[in-house]
Amino acid sequence: MTGVFNGNTPFQLSSSHDKRFRSLPPTEMLPRNETLGGYIFVCNNDTMQEDLKRQLFGLPQRYRDSVRAIQPGLPLFLYNYTTHQLHGIFEASSFGGSNIDPTAWEDKKCRGESRFPAQVRIRIRKQCKPLEEDSFRPVLHHYDGPKFRLQLSVPEVLELLDLFTENGSP
């Protein structure tokens, strides 16, 4: 693939560079006129314990720009796609960034690099029972069938907070 730099100097882009550093398509992003109200991070049964032990949530590189918008105090949730449950209520205890802890979820092929470098430190805001997918899914913005947007609007967060409150403590 060839690109143009400085308007007239051609240069080569590798396809692996494109895949690794591309950002989210518009369908996966909150519209520009909406305020970021919260964020859903994703895990499975294998990564969930590391998330909670390290008090760190992470996503793949393509989420880097959207995770950088996270500020301390922002409500966060953790979706376990193995169990189809949403866990919460967490909050950011740092600004979102890249490789806050590069040893977390280490890439076996690239030592010292995280598989999930778009990261934020977290703390528990309120421990609640996890929500089953059929209870929280109607609240979220969907695209491409069953997929849902990870960036949350303020109304989406308020609805999720209500659902967690109704669901009670563990």
Side-chain angles (χ1 to χ4, degrees), residues 25-108:
T27 54
E28 293 184 48
M29 295 173 58
L30 202 59
R32 288 180 188 213
N33 61 343
E34 286 197 55
T35 301
L36 181 64
Y39 211 102
I40 296 175
F41 282 79
V42 181
C43 70
N44 60 29
N45 283 343
D46 296 330
T47 59
M48 185 167 178
Q49 289 311 310
E50 185 170 358
D51 288 353
L52 299 174
K53 186 179 111 198
R54 289 180 184 263
Q55 295 188 316
L56 185 74
F57 289 172
L59 288 169
Q61 181 70 25
R62 68 193 200 107
Y63 291 91
R64 177 194 62 208
D65 292 339
S66 67
V67 167
R68 280 189 182 148
I70 294 173
Q71 297 183 7
L74 190 76
L76 304 174
F77 305 92
L78 186 61
Y79 175 66
N80 183 323
Y81 65 80
T82 307
T83 63
H84 301 279
Q85 293 178 321
L86 189 66
H87 296 264
I89 303 166
F90 304 95
E91 70 180 23
S93 62
S94 73
F95 287 93
S98 291
N99 284 309
I100 293 170
D101 182 349
T103 66
W105 314 285
E106 190 172 43
D107 189 337
K108 306 280 185 270

